[in-house]
Amino acid sequence: MRLQVLGTAAGGGVPQWNCACPGCSGARAHPGRRRRHASLAVQLDDGAYVVNATPDIAEQIESCAWLRPGPGPRESPLKGVILTDAELDHTIGLLRLREADALEVRSTPVVRHALRPFAELLRPYLQLTWAEAAAIPVSGKRPRYAAGSPEVEATGWVSALRLGPLVYAPTMGVWPDELDEAFRQAECVIVDGTFWDDEEPRRTGISARTATQMGHMPIEATMERLSKLPGRRLYTHLNNTNPLVDPAAEQHEVLAELGIEVAADGMVIDL
């Protein structure tokens, strides 16, 4: 399986446009620390896909040699997009793909329903088809724009994806038994590393809620369990407040001792 990490940051990227926290300031001073929104390029049996359509999607496609168009002027190897959720940071890139002749989107039914406005906007531009993703529910957190949706209690708002030998779960509110089984069967798991500890959002002043209350299991709550899995293990979806955005942070050593990696933009993984 061919896989390239297209981005590893949580919402807003690193640096975030309206933030001067140490993580963002460090990324401005050291461009090598910059991170695009979390996404993957994957080559499946039926074609090439990106996982989540982020605001950075055009630049992310350009960064992946086997996703670039050609040889014809409108020939692209990209078949579609697979979505983990309906958050704007993971879906707004669909609008940037309007030049495509056709595009397949795989998601859960509730995510498809939430994105009906996007589908209507794109209708005059391209042929959009929908399919169901091989997903494991990991959170009931819904986007703010869907707060009034009648499907508010439906499952499938946030999912981990099974993609052949890979399980990708950039956001996780819970670690259910089904996910644990999928992790143990996978050759590689890439999981939610948004926050290092539960108090990080409150301590840094970005929220009055804890990481758990925001729908993210912090690294401190998952790293020991992750270390016991048999396959390769990586964290992604780092928030700008996460100490791991600084390559000199001592937290990197903590993870290295457990055999866990921090995913990097541009990383290629062969499975």
Side-chain angles (χ1 to χ4, degrees):
M1 178 180 180
R2 186 161 53 169
L3 162 66
Q4 182 168 321
V5 177
L6 300 179
T8 55
V14 182
Q16 191 169 298
W17 70 272
N18 64 339
C19 184
C21 73
C24 290
S25 297
R28 290 190 182 96
H30 306 279
R33 299 184 188 180
R34 290 175 177 262
R35 293 175 181 264
R36 292 172 174 160
H37 290 83
S39 178
L40 298 177
V42 293
Q43 183 71 50
L44 302 180
D45 291 341
D46 61 340
Y49 291 80
V50 293
V51 181
N52 291 334
T54 80
D56 305 316
I57 193 165
E59 294 81 6
Q60 288 173 326
I61 289 173
E62 285 297 313
S63 73
C64 182
W66 49 273
L67 280 185
R68 294 174 191 157
R74 289 180 63 87
E75 294 182 20
S76 171
L78 181 65
K79 181 175 180 179
V81 177
I82 308 172
L83 300 175
T84 61
D85 53 66
E87 292 288 351
L88 290 179
D89 293 317
H90 293 161
T91 59
I92 203 168
L94 290 171
L95 302 179
R96 295 199 68 182
L97 297 177
R98 66 186 181 278
E99 294 89 358
D101 294 323
L103 192 70
E104 178 187 301
V105 180
R106 298 183 184 180
S107 73
T108 61
V110 70
V111 167
R112 175 180 178 178
H113 181 83
L115 294 176
R116 285 187 304 172
F118 278 27
E120 290 302 314
L121 284 171
L122 289 168
R123 189 182 303 278
Y125 297 91
L126 78 162
Q127 180 183 353
L128 196 65
T129 59
W130 294 81
E132 192 154 349
I136 301 170
V138 291
S139 174
K141 180 186 176 184
R142 61 189 183 278
R144 295 181 193 178
Y145 69 80
S149 170
E151 290 80 14
V152 68
E153 300 300 331
T155 61
W157 279 110
V158 183
S159 302
L161 300 176
R162 293 181 177 178
L163 302 167
L166 169 74
V167 177
Y168 185 62
T171 56
M172 287 170 47
V174 294
W175 187 323
D177 290 342
E178 184 182 0
L179 180 62
D180 195 56
E181 181 180 356
F183 278 168
R184 294 187 179 282
Q185 295 174 352
E187 294 180 25
C188 179
V189 297
I190 304 178
V191 304
D192 189 342
T194 308
F195 300 111
W196 179 263
D197 63 82
D198 206 32
E199 287 296 321
E200 182 181 319
R202 296 201 291 205
R203 186 175 61 254
T204 58
I206 66 166
S207 176
R209 297 177 293 166
T210 65
T212 304
Q213 290 168 343
M214 293 179 69
H216 298 281
M217 295 184 71
I219 290 174
E220 283 192 343
T222 61
M223 60 184 181
E224 291 292 341
R225 292 181 69 180
L226 206 62
S227 71
K228 294 178 173 60
L229 297 178
R232 189 173 179 181
R233 299 138 299 178
L234 304 96
Y235 280 114
T236 190
H237 202 266
L238 275 61
N239 198 61
N240 55 310
T241 57
N242 192 319
L244 291 173
V245 301
D246 181 351
E250 62 183 12
Q251 285 82 356
H252 288 279
E253 296 182 11
V254 174
L255 294 182
E257 290 176 359
L258 293 172
I260 302 172
E261 303 170 68
V262 178
D265 290 29
M267 176 182 285
V268 175
I269 300 174
D270 294 316
L271 298 173

